[in-house]
Amino acid sequence: MAVVSSSSFHSALLAFSSPSIAIPILNPMNGEKRRRWSSYSTRLQCSSRPDDARRISEQSSWKSKDSEGKDYLYRLGQEADNMNIAVGARQGVIDDLFVGNFLGKDSDIVFDYRQKATRSFEYLQGDYYIAPAFLDKVACHIVKNYIAHLLNVKVPLILGIWGGKGQGKTFQTELIFRAMGIEPVIMSAGELESERAGEPGRLIRDRYRTASQVIQNQGKMSCLMINDIDAGLGRFGNTQMTVNNQIVVGTLMNLSDNPTRVSIGQKWRESDVVHRVPIIVTGNDFSTLYAPLIRDGRMEKFYWQPDHEDIINIVHQMYAKDGITRDEVIRVVDTFPNQALDFYGALRSRTYDQSILKWVNDTGGYEKLGEKLLKGKKHGQLSTFVPPKQSVEALLESGHSLVKEHHLITNSRLSKEYMKNIDD
């Protein structure tokens, strides 16, 4: 064991404290530790030089840029709730030193679950027709729930909009949300089932509380909307009920009875009172749902069947950009009566088929279509697509082809076997 004199130890200590001299520490450590301390001292000394570039690890994460050149503060301002925990250890947002490769480039594994849960409808550009009866029912339901504490009546929390397929129930509701400035939380029937028992019920309560937080924190009107609820909760023929079906029904019934006391598993607190959030559900047949859920005290039912005037106004707005006049729309609607609204949208889509086939041939045919579509879309080098010039004759031709296909499907032996009980 080496022995170091007191004078040599003090002189080494003074030398280490000098900012301009980097020498190893003379102490009883072994040689490996001495070399490590010496390299650390030299690294500190080099990084203090003003003419050297600053290391990434020494830069502030507030100044780092993301892939679009925006800094951290700009990204924070764009977040829904303006919370920095919603950013996480994302590559290009925070220093690479803290991102690393040991957990992957994006080490915040729950970032996708912190995304904005609400929906906005800025993509709905242009003028669309909203049926007055539909607007009155939805707007009245929302307003009643927001002023329920002022009314001396029982206000149902849930509005059930039901009717035939393709009648525009969801789209009309979204148009009303945009017109009223509502930022809803949207759910679908696919989220009403899970491999884990109790997960869909907890998800509904969590989304309900999220809509309440939008009202509390952002000062915006919000609601919870569940699309095609009968597809997830309905009882059809020999379908089997699951525990999650029962829990979801029980959750919706409990929300209707106690709309301001919603727990997602935490302990009950007297101060934990949420805002009353109206719920809107859509479906095709509510008779398949659990009867106590759709009783009048919990759910207000609204059957949506657009009349002839509503269909003409909606289809006219649908064809407005194509230069189709109102009289021409009336001719199309009268030629194909008793059709759902999505039928008239399919007419317009069918008229694009020939133009798309011509565009495929102009881009080089089918052989290299995949390569050109993917690379051209990525680099913005796709050839210009010229939409077809719409006419009443083209729409009528598309309509007759759709009706012919429908008759072929419904009159085939296989479809009759599948749909043998459709008349019942």
Side-chain angles (χ1 to χ4, degrees):
M1 178 176 173
V3 179
V4 182
S5 63
S6 175
S7 59
S8 60
F9 177 79
H10 285 291
S11 58
L13 185 61
L14 290 174
F16 176 75
S17 62
S18 175
S20 59
I21 303 176
I23 62 173
I25 301 175
L26 299 178
N27 57 18
M29 296 181 183
N30 56 31
E32 181 181 356
K33 292 185 177 180
R34 284 202 303 270
R35 285 192 299 271
R36 188 163 67 244
W37 279 99
S38 177
S39 62
Y40 177 75
S41 175
T42 305
R43 189 163 64 248
L44 286 177
Q45 186 182 25
C46 293
S47 63
S48 63
R49 296 177 182 177
D51 55 342
D52 288 345
R54 297 178 63 190
R55 294 173 58 86
I56 296 295
S57 60
E58 296 170 358
Q59 296 179 10
S60 171
S61 60
W62 296 90
K63 298 180 180 179
S64 61
K65 307 290 185 180
D66 60 7
S67 59
E68 299 178 358
K70 305 297 192 335
D71 60 14
Y72 185 78
L73 284 175
Y74 183 91
R75 178 73 175 272
L76 261 184
Q78 295 297 313
E79 295 296 331
D81 296 324
N82 199 23
M83 298 170 61
N84 58 359
I85 62 170
V87 176
R90 306 287 292 179
Q91 185 185 25
V93 177
I94 202 167
D95 292 345
D96 293 340
L97 175 67
F98 303 106
V99 176
N101 289 319
F102 55 94
L103 288 177
K105 290 295 185 182
D106 296 334
S107 58
D108 187 2
I109 59 177
V110 297
F111 180 79
D112 293 336
Y113 298 98
R114 293 199 188 116
Q115 295 300 305
K116 189 175 181 180
T118 57
R119 287 272 301 276
S120 57
F121 302 99
E122 288 84 1
Y123 64 91
L124 294 177
Q125 300 295 330
D127 295 329
Y128 293 93
Y129 176 81
I130 303 176
F134 202 103
L135 175 61
D136 291 344
K137 179 60 68 172
V138 174
C140 182
H141 175 76
I142 293 174
V143 173
K144 276 198 306 183
N145 275 275
Y146 272 89
I147 63 172
H149 61 287
L150 303 177
L151 305 177
N152 192 24
V153 293
K154 172 69 175 178
V155 178
L157 184 72
I158 305 175
L159 172 64
I161 305 173
W162 66 293
K165 62 179 180 63
Q167 298 291 4
K169 297 181 290 295
T170 299
F171 187 63
Q172 288 279 299
T173 307
E174 291 179 351
L175 290 177
I176 295 174
F177 289 158
R178 188 192 67 168
M180 296 181 63
I182 297 174
E183 195 165 305
V185 178
I186 307 293
M187 292 186 65
S188 69
E191 297 177 281
L192 301 182
E193 187 54 80
S194 172
E195 60 185 6
R196 299 178 180 177
E199 188 69 24
R202 179 187 175 91
L203 180 62
I204 291 176
R205 296 192 299 272
D206 184 55
R207 297 284 175 82
Y208 186 92
R209 291 180 65 96
T210 299
S212 175
Q213 290 173 0
V214 172
I215 301 172
Q216 176 70 30
N217 300 335
Q218 301 183 23
K220 297 180 180 179
M221 296 178 66
S222 184
C223 70
L224 175 62
M225 183 173 182
I226 305 177
N227 288 314
D228 305 309
I229 189 173
D230 56 335
L233 296 182
R235 302 182 183 183
F236 303 94
N238 297 323
T239 55
Q240 183 181 12
M241 287 290 292
T242 66
V243 173
N244 279 325
N245 293 149
Q246 298 172 337
I247 291 177
V248 168
V249 169
T251 298
L252 291 175
M253 292 169 59
N254 181 257
L255 287 176
S256 301
D257 298 336
N258 302 281
T260 59
R261 301 284 290 173
V262 182
S263 170
I264 55 175
Q266 77 275 17
K267 294 182 179 180
W268 286 107
R269 301 191 311 271
E270 291 297 327
S271 60
D272 189 13
V273 178
V274 300
H275 287 269
R276 182 187 179 103
V277 177
I279 300 177
I280 300 176
V281 300
T282 63
N284 300 119
D285 187 4
F286 283 176
S287 65
T288 61
L289 299 179
Y290 186 57
L293 172 63
I294 63 175
R295 70 174 177 84
D296 293 335
R298 293 190 174 112
M299 179 186 294
E300 182 179 2
K301 278 76 67 181
F302 173 57
Y303 180 74
W304 170 238
Q305 177 65 45
D307 56 22
H308 187 262
E309 188 67 21
D310 289 331
I311 293 176
I312 290 176
N313 290 327
I314 294 174
V315 175
H316 183 221
Q317 289 298 123
M318 189 187 304
Y319 294 159
K321 296 180 180 179
D322 300 324
I324 304 296
T325 63
R326 182 180 177 84
D327 293 336
E328 292 172 335
V329 169
I330 295 175
R331 178 184 171 188
V332 172
V333 172
D334 291 340
T335 305
F336 305 103
N338 303 323
Q339 295 288 351
L341 285 171
D342 60 350
F343 175 84
Y344 303 103
L347 296 187
R348 187 172 183 270
S349 177
R350 180 64 68 94
T351 58
Y352 274 68
D353 291 352
Q354 294 299 325
S355 298
I356 292 176
L357 293 177
K358 182 179 182 301
W359 181 83
V360 170
N361 293 327
D362 294 341
T363 56
Y366 301 97
E367 290 78 9
K368 298 182 178 180
L369 184 61
E371 179 182 353
K372 290 189 176 182
L373 280 177
L374 296 178
K375 291 186 178 180
K377 184 178 180 180
K378 182 178 180 180
H379 301 288
Q381 298 175 354
L382 286 175
S383 58
T384 304
F385 174 75
V386 180
K389 183 175 177 58
Q390 297 287 4
S391 64
V392 179
E393 289 73 19
L395 293 173
L396 293 177
E397 181 182 355
S398 300
H400 288 301
S401 65
L402 286 174
V403 172
K404 183 179 179 180
E405 290 178 4
H406 175 73
H407 287 312
L408 288 175
I409 293 174
T410 55
N411 293 328
S412 66
R413 182 178 178 182
L414 181 61
S415 63
K416 283 183 178 180
E417 182 66 24
Y418 281 129
M419 306 173 68
K420 59 185 178 181
N421 297 325
I422 193 68
D423 293 334
D424 297 336

mmCIF file of all heavy atoms in Angstrom, residues 76-104:
data_model
loop_
_atom_site.group_PDB
_atom_site.id
_atom_site.type_symbol
_atom_site.label_atom_id
_atom_site.label_comp_id
_atom_site.label_asym_id
_atom_site.label_seq_id
_atom_site.Cartn_x
_atom_site.Cartn_y
_atom_site.Cartn_z
ATOM 1 N N LEU A 76 -45.645 23.415 -26.440
ATOM 2 C CA LEU A 76 -46.442 23.430 -25.218
ATOM 3 C C LEU A 76 -47.745 24.191 -25.412
ATOM 4 O O LEU A 76 -48.798 23.789 -24.948
ATOM 5 C CB LEU A 76 -45.643 24.076 -24.084
ATOM 6 C CG LEU A 76 -44.951 23.152 -23.087
ATOM 7 C CD1 LEU A 76 -44.301 23.983 -22.005
ATOM 8 C CD2 LEU A 76 -45.940 22.191 -22.477
ATOM 9 N N GLY A 77 -47.665 25.313 -26.116
ATOM 10 C CA GLY A 77 -48.863 26.103 -26.328
ATOM 11 C C GLY A 77 -49.905 25.420 -27.177
ATOM 12 O O GLY A 77 -51.084 25.742 -27.103
ATOM 13 N N GLN A 78 -49.469 24.464 -28.008
ATOM 14 C CA GLN A 78 -50.398 23.755 -28.862
ATOM 15 C C GLN A 78 -51.078 22.588 -28.165
ATOM 16 O O GLN A 78 -52.010 22.005 -28.706
ATOM 17 C CB GLN A 78 -49.653 23.221 -30.101
ATOM 18 C CG GLN A 78 -49.109 24.313 -31.009
ATOM 19 C CD GLN A 78 -50.224 25.154 -31.607
ATOM 20 O OE1 GLN A 78 -51.197 24.622 -32.094
ATOM 21 N NE2 GLN A 78 -50.072 26.459 -31.550
ATOM 22 N N GLU A 79 -50.589 22.211 -26.986
ATOM 23 C CA GLU A 79 -51.168 21.075 -26.288
ATOM 24 C C GLU A 79 -52.565 21.427 -25.783
ATOM 25 O O GLU A 79 -52.889 22.575 -25.500
ATOM 26 C CB GLU A 79 -50.293 20.643 -25.116
ATOM 27 C CG GLU A 79 -48.936 20.102 -25.529
ATOM 28 C CD GLU A 79 -49.060 18.824 -26.336
ATOM 29 O OE1 GLU A 79 -50.039 18.080 -26.122
ATOM 30 O OE2 GLU A 79 -48.183 18.591 -27.170
ATOM 31 N N ALA A 80 -53.404 20.387 -25.652
ATOM 32 C CA ALA A 80 -54.804 20.605 -25.304
ATOM 33 C C ALA A 80 -54.949 21.261 -23.943
ATOM 34 O O ALA A 80 -55.661 22.232 -23.776
ATOM 35 C CB ALA A 80 -55.561 19.273 -25.344
ATOM 36 N N ASP A 81 -54.250 20.714 -22.957
ATOM 37 C CA ASP A 81 -54.405 21.214 -21.598
ATOM 38 C C ASP A 81 -53.224 22.052 -21.148
ATOM 39 O O ASP A 81 -53.112 22.386 -19.974
ATOM 40 C CB ASP A 81 -54.598 20.046 -20.631
ATOM 41 C CG ASP A 81 -55.882 19.298 -20.917
ATOM 42 O OD1 ASP A 81 -56.861 19.945 -21.290
ATOM 43 O OD2 ASP A 81 -55.866 18.064 -20.767
ATOM 44 N N ASN A 82 -52.292 22.339 -22.068
ATOM 45 C CA ASN A 82 -51.136 23.173 -21.778
ATOM 46 C C ASN A 82 -50.332 22.618 -20.614
ATOM 47 O O ASN A 82 -49.952 23.329 -19.687
ATOM 48 C CB ASN A 82 -51.572 24.608 -21.481
ATOM 49 C CG ASN A 82 -50.410 25.577 -21.629
ATOM 50 O OD1 ASN A 82 -49.444 25.275 -22.341
ATOM 51 N ND2 ASN A 82 -50.495 26.724 -20.998
ATOM 52 N N MET A 83 -50.060 21.326 -20.643
ATOM 53 C CA MET A 83 -49.286 20.667 -19.595
ATOM 54 C C MET A 83 -48.041 20.069 -20.209
ATOM 55 O O MET A 83 -48.101 19.372 -21.212
ATOM 56 C CB MET A 83 -50.119 19.559 -18.920
ATOM 57 C CG MET A 83 -51.375 20.082 -18.233
ATOM 58 S SD MET A 83 -52.464 18.744 -17.716
ATOM 59 C CE MET A 83 -51.381 17.871 -16.584
ATOM 60 N N ASN A 84 -46.881 20.338 -19.614
ATOM 61 C CA ASN A 84 -45.643 19.846 -20.202
ATOM 62 C C ASN A 84 -45.479 18.341 -20.077
ATOM 63 O O ASN A 84 -44.669 17.748 -20.767
ATOM 64 C CB ASN A 84 -44.434 20.566 -19.579
ATOM 65 C CG ASN A 84 -44.388 20.384 -18.071
ATOM 66 O OD1 ASN A 84 -45.265 19.742 -17.491
ATOM 67 N ND2 ASN A 84 -43.376 20.949 -17.441
ATOM 68 N N ILE A 85 -46.260 17.691 -19.184
ATOM 69 C CA ILE A 85 -46.157 16.237 -19.089
ATOM 70 C C ILE A 85 -46.732 15.563 -20.322
ATOM 71 O O ILE A 85 -46.508 14.381 -20.544
ATOM 72 C CB ILE A 85 -46.870 15.717 -17.831
ATOM 73 C CG1 ILE A 85 -48.370 16.053 -17.892
ATOM 74 C CG2 ILE A 85 -46.252 16.256 -16.577
ATOM 75 C CD1 ILE A 85 -49.178 15.377 -16.828
ATOM 76 N N ALA A 86 -47.479 16.313 -21.132
ATOM 77 C CA ALA A 86 -48.051 15.717 -22.336
ATOM 78 C C ALA A 86 -47.027 15.621 -23.456
ATOM 79 O O ALA A 86 -47.325 15.123 -24.514
ATOM 80 C CB ALA A 86 -49.256 16.521 -22.806
ATOM 81 N N VAL A 87 -45.837 16.150 -23.253
ATOM 82 C CA VAL A 87 -44.795 16.087 -24.284
ATOM 83 C C VAL A 87 -43.956 14.847 -24.096
ATOM 84 O O VAL A 87 -43.770 14.046 -25.000
ATOM 85 C CB VAL A 87 -43.919 17.359 -24.253
ATOM 86 C CG1 VAL A 87 -42.792 17.245 -25.251
ATOM 87 C CG2 VAL A 87 -44.761 18.576 -24.548
ATOM 88 N N GLY A 88 -43.464 14.609 -22.877
ATOM 89 C CA GLY A 88 -42.690 13.404 -22.618
ATOM 90 C C GLY A 88 -41.328 13.438 -23.278
ATOM 91 O O GLY A 88 -40.891 14.429 -23.848
ATOM 92 N N ALA A 89 -40.634 12.312 -23.218
ATOM 93 C CA ALA A 89 -39.290 12.205 -23.794
ATOM 94 C C ALA A 89 -39.412 11.872 -25.270
ATOM 95 O O ALA A 89 -39.225 10.738 -25.692
ATOM 96 C CB ALA A 89 -38.476 11.144 -23.059
ATOM 97 N N ARG A 90 -39.753 12.855 -26.072
ATOM 98 C CA ARG A 90 -39.947 12.652 -27.493
ATOM 99 C C ARG A 90 -38.726 13.120 -28.255
ATOM 100 O O ARG A 90 -38.171 14.178 -27.984
ATOM 101 C CB ARG A 90 -41.173 13.421 -27.984
ATOM 102 C CG ARG A 90 -42.454 13.123 -27.228
ATOM 103 C CD ARG A 90 -43.009 11.770 -27.566
ATOM 104 N NE ARG A 90 -43.486 11.743 -28.933
ATOM 105 C CZ ARG A 90 -44.007 10.669 -29.509
ATOM 106 N NH1 ARG A 90 -44.071 9.552 -28.833
ATOM 107 N NH2 ARG A 90 -44.448 10.701 -30.744
ATOM 108 N N GLN A 91 -38.315 12.336 -29.249
ATOM 109 C CA GLN A 91 -37.166 12.711 -30.057
ATOM 110 C C GLN A 91 -37.495 13.972 -30.851
ATOM 111 O O GLN A 91 -38.550 14.095 -31.451
ATOM 112 C CB GLN A 91 -36.806 11.583 -31.013
ATOM 113 C CG GLN A 91 -35.530 11.867 -31.800
ATOM 114 C CD GLN A 91 -35.259 10.784 -32.819
ATOM 115 O OE1 GLN A 91 -36.188 10.120 -33.257
ATOM 116 N NE2 GLN A 91 -34.023 10.591 -33.176
ATOM 117 N N GLY A 92 -36.568 14.921 -30.846
ATOM 118 C CA GLY A 92 -36.769 16.174 -31.529
ATOM 119 C C GLY A 92 -37.444 17.225 -30.694
ATOM 120 O O GLY A 92 -37.524 18.377 -31.087
ATOM 121 N N VAL A 93 -37.950 16.858 -29.521
ATOM 122 C CA VAL A 93 -38.595 17.811 -28.629
ATOM 123 C C VAL A 93 -37.743 18.060 -27.407
ATOM 124 O O VAL A 93 -37.596 19.187 -26.957
ATOM 125 C CB VAL A 93 -39.989 17.301 -28.217
ATOM 126 C CG1 VAL A 93 -40.648 18.250 -27.232
ATOM 127 C CG2 VAL A 93 -40.874 17.140 -29.444
ATOM 128 N N ILE A 94 -37.162 17.004 -26.860
ATOM 129 C CA ILE A 94 -36.298 17.133 -25.705
ATOM 130 C C ILE A 94 -34.903 16.646 -26.087
ATOM 131 O O ILE A 94 -34.719 16.016 -27.137
ATOM 132 C CB ILE A 94 -36.874 16.329 -24.522
ATOM 133 C CG1 ILE A 94 -36.339 16.841 -23.190
ATOM 134 C CG2 ILE A 94 -36.626 14.852 -24.688
ATOM 135 C CD1 ILE A 94 -37.096 16.314 -21.997
ATOM 136 N N ASP A 95 -33.902 16.945 -25.271
ATOM 137 C CA ASP A 95 -32.524 16.618 -25.620
ATOM 138 C C ASP A 95 -32.355 15.139 -25.930
ATOM 139 O O ASP A 95 -32.922 14.271 -25.271
ATOM 140 C CB ASP A 95 -31.585 16.986 -24.463
ATOM 141 C CG ASP A 95 -31.524 18.487 -24.276
ATOM 142 O OD1 ASP A 95 -31.949 19.199 -25.185
ATOM 143 O OD2 ASP A 95 -31.045 18.933 -23.215
ATOM 144 N N ASP A 96 -31.519 14.849 -26.926
ATOM 145 C CA ASP A 96 -31.267 13.454 -27.290
ATOM 146 C C ASP A 96 -30.628 12.680 -26.152
ATOM 147 O O ASP A 96 -30.745 11.453 -26.097
ATOM 148 C CB ASP A 96 -30.367 13.390 -28.525
ATOM 149 C CG ASP A 96 -31.087 13.923 -29.756
ATOM 150 O OD1 ASP A 96 -32.330 13.961 -29.729
ATOM 151 O OD2 ASP A 96 -30.416 14.298 -30.730
ATOM 152 N N LEU A 97 -29.935 13.375 -25.250
ATOM 153 C CA LEU A 97 -29.311 12.699 -24.129
ATOM 154 C C LEU A 97 -30.358 11.989 -23.272
ATOM 155 O O LEU A 97 -30.118 10.908 -22.748
ATOM 156 C CB LEU A 97 -28.543 13.713 -23.273
ATOM 157 C CG LEU A 97 -27.923 13.167 -21.972
ATOM 158 C CD1 LEU A 97 -26.802 12.197 -22.299
ATOM 159 C CD2 LEU A 97 -27.410 14.297 -21.098
ATOM 160 N N PHE A 98 -31.541 12.593 -23.165
ATOM 161 C CA PHE A 98 -32.584 12.026 -22.328
ATOM 162 C C PHE A 98 -33.516 11.106 -23.106
ATOM 163 O O PHE A 98 -34.357 10.456 -22.527
ATOM 164 C CB PHE A 98 -33.399 13.141 -21.676
ATOM 165 C CG PHE A 98 -32.563 14.083 -20.882
ATOM 166 C CD1 PHE A 98 -32.291 15.352 -21.348
ATOM 167 C CD2 PHE A 98 -32.010 13.691 -19.678
ATOM 168 C CE1 PHE A 98 -31.511 16.220 -20.618
ATOM 169 C CE2 PHE A 98 -31.227 14.553 -18.938
ATOM 170 C CZ PHE A 98 -30.964 15.822 -19.414
ATOM 171 N N VAL A 99 -33.400 11.094 -24.429
ATOM 172 C CA VAL A 99 -34.201 10.186 -25.239
ATOM 173 C C VAL A 99 -33.513 8.838 -25.330
ATOM 174 O O VAL A 99 -34.032 7.811 -24.930
ATOM 175 C CB VAL A 99 -34.458 10.779 -26.626
ATOM 176 C CG1 VAL A 99 -35.204 9.781 -27.495
ATOM 177 C CG2 VAL A 99 -35.265 12.058 -26.501
ATOM 178 N N GLY A 100 -32.278 8.837 -25.853
ATOM 179 C CA GLY A 100 -31.460 7.633 -25.865
ATOM 180 C C GLY A 100 -32.010 6.530 -26.742
ATOM 181 O O GLY A 100 -33.013 6.671 -27.430
ATOM 182 N N ASN A 101 -31.318 5.402 -26.723
ATOM 183 C CA ASN A 101 -31.728 4.244 -27.496
ATOM 184 C C ASN A 101 -32.127 3.062 -26.635
ATOM 185 O O ASN A 101 -32.601 2.056 -27.143
ATOM 186 C CB ASN A 101 -30.591 3.800 -28.419
ATOM 187 C CG ASN A 101 -30.372 4.790 -29.558
ATOM 188 O OD1 ASN A 101 -31.343 5.285 -30.121
ATOM 189 N ND2 ASN A 101 -29.123 5.074 -29.864
ATOM 190 N N PHE A 102 -31.938 3.185 -25.324
ATOM 191 C CA PHE A 102 -32.179 2.034 -24.471
ATOM 192 C C PHE A 102 -33.670 1.750 -24.313
ATOM 193 O O PHE A 102 -34.061 0.635 -24.041
ATOM 194 C CB PHE A 102 -31.524 2.224 -23.102
ATOM 195 C CG PHE A 102 -31.933 3.481 -22.402
ATOM 196 C CD1 PHE A 102 -32.975 3.483 -21.505
ATOM 197 C CD2 PHE A 102 -31.259 4.674 -22.644
ATOM 198 C CE1 PHE A 102 -33.353 4.641 -20.852
ATOM 199 C CE2 PHE A 102 -31.632 5.830 -21.992
ATOM 200 C CZ PHE A 102 -32.679 5.816 -21.094
ATOM 201 N N LEU A 103 -34.542 2.759 -24.489
ATOM 202 C CA LEU A 103 -35.975 2.548 -24.477
ATOM 203 C C LEU A 103 -36.599 2.843 -25.836
ATOM 204 O O LEU A 103 -37.809 2.946 -25.960
ATOM 205 C CB LEU A 103 -36.654 3.440 -23.427
ATOM 206 C CG LEU A 103 -36.439 3.055 -21.969
ATOM 207 C CD1 LEU A 103 -37.101 4.078 -21.064
ATOM 208 C CD2 LEU A 103 -37.006 1.675 -21.697
ATOM 209 N N GLY A 104 -35.774 2.978 -26.835
ATOM 210 C CA GLY A 104 -36.283 3.392 -28.124
ATOM 211 C C GLY A 104 -36.194 4.897 -28.267
ATOM 212 O O GLY A 104 -35.945 5.626 -27.319
#
